[in-house]
Amino acid sequence: DKAPSAAPATSSNGYAWQPLLTRAIGGADSPGNRCALSFADVMAGSPLWAVVSNFQINGHTFKKYCSPLLSVERLIVFHGCARSARDLRSCAPNATIYDMTPKKLSFGFKNDYGCHHSKAFLIGFDDSLRVAIHTANIISCDINNKTQGIWMQNFPIKKAGAPATSDFEEQLVKYFLSLQKHAARMPQSWMGLGAAFGGDEQLTIAQALRKFDFSGAKARLVASTPGYHSGADLHSFGANRVAALLANEGDAAAQKPTDKIYCQFSSLSSPTKPLAVLKAAFHAPKRLCPSPPEVDLSIVWPTAAEVCASVEGYGAGGALPSAQKNVDKAPREMLCRWTKDGSSDFVTARRRAMPHIKTWTRVSGDGSTVRWSVLTSANLSGGAWGNVRDGGRTLFIMHWELGVLVTPSILGAPLRTTQGSEGAIVPLPFPCPPRPYAQGDVPFSWEARYETPDRWGKHGTR
């Protein structure tokens, strides 16, 4: 079955990354699901092995939506929530399962607030490896009701004459080396798991990944791993990784002082420090060159009324963690709504599916052109992106996260929103430019009680 090799990279169909199909807003023909991928698309073909990384994985949901993986020769699962995964072992008896909750692991430092939050599939076929990095927990409400995103590409076996390595390969291997410090350390034979593996060679996951050619990657990997990162690894992870990539491949000369940077995420922690770290990273200069024009950051965060009107009502707030004290700290002038009249049909169709997607994007002032965009599992927190220590000589990260950065230089084509007209589409699910909060708009908090009930008569999430 050669179908997996024929599956294109996400960018091959005109998209830099794609939405995940959301059943609550309609079928595949819904404008909001245009060019959307489903988990079935991710697993299409004849997989031989798979590595699954996620935060929450419900066993019965995994069995329903990831059924092709239940019969593969090797299935390795990393998760970060034992409560959600309590049925996973009985539903996926072929899986080797690792609970990566950081407070249960030994790092040499206290990490009680860390999280294994990455969301990815690595699926091996006879002649290729598929990498899919996305934003959905493997739970029913995330898959069916939320707005999510996914980046996916197939990579061939590394053959004679191929580059010895690539930036994408090195970053992916570094990420799995971090996991292997705590799980899946033992080398094992991959014989019979595809043409990449000959003989009875003993390999870890990280070593197995080096059998594939990632030099054609249409994005750059942006990972976070727990630890105090310094020296050669100072710019390997988190916000510093984004800074290094934008300095080299961010097309600074094309950026304008009228641009805006939209920070869109689904969990609102105390915003002050992480916003400062990210603003610095987003304006990183290339060595001996001027910085890109500094522009303001805006936060796209749903209002209470938008959550109330969503397909889940206030119940959607269960995936929008937002203590009132943190909501109150978000600068009012930075806040923008999730919806706006007069948007593209894609954005309009998405207005009732609340975001679990996380996007960090620089967009032209008129909302049409994308300068660069990060699709990631990382929310607005120092634990995810890193806290600067030792005068900038160390970056302290508590989470595992995975995402991708796309720029025109990386993709080899201009980038646009769904409201633009030229280039590969970055399908931001909110209007560009978004509508700033007006008088009377109330930012959603999952702790609050609201006067207006949702369709089920509820007045809040809790």
Side-chain angles (χ1 to χ4, degrees), residues 303-320 444-446 448-462:
T303 66
E306 289 172 322
V307 176
C308 177
S310 72
V311 294
E312 298 173 279
Y314 292 122
L320 293 167
F444 174 78
S445 168
W446 73 346
R449 299 280 296 173
Y450 299 104
E451 182 178 349
T452 303
D454 65 18
R455 71 188 65 196
W456 291 280
K458 293 182 178 181
H459 290 262
T461 299
R462 296 181 166 184

Side-chain angles (χ1 to χ4, degrees), residues 17 43 47 54 79 89 93 172 182 220 258-259 289 305 325 359 392 406 414:
W17 48 263
M43 292 157 215
N54 215 296
H79 72 82
R89 194 167 301 279
L172 191 61
H182 307 281
R220 298 291 179 262
T258 52
D259 294 346
C289 292
K325 64 179 182 180
T359 58
V406 293

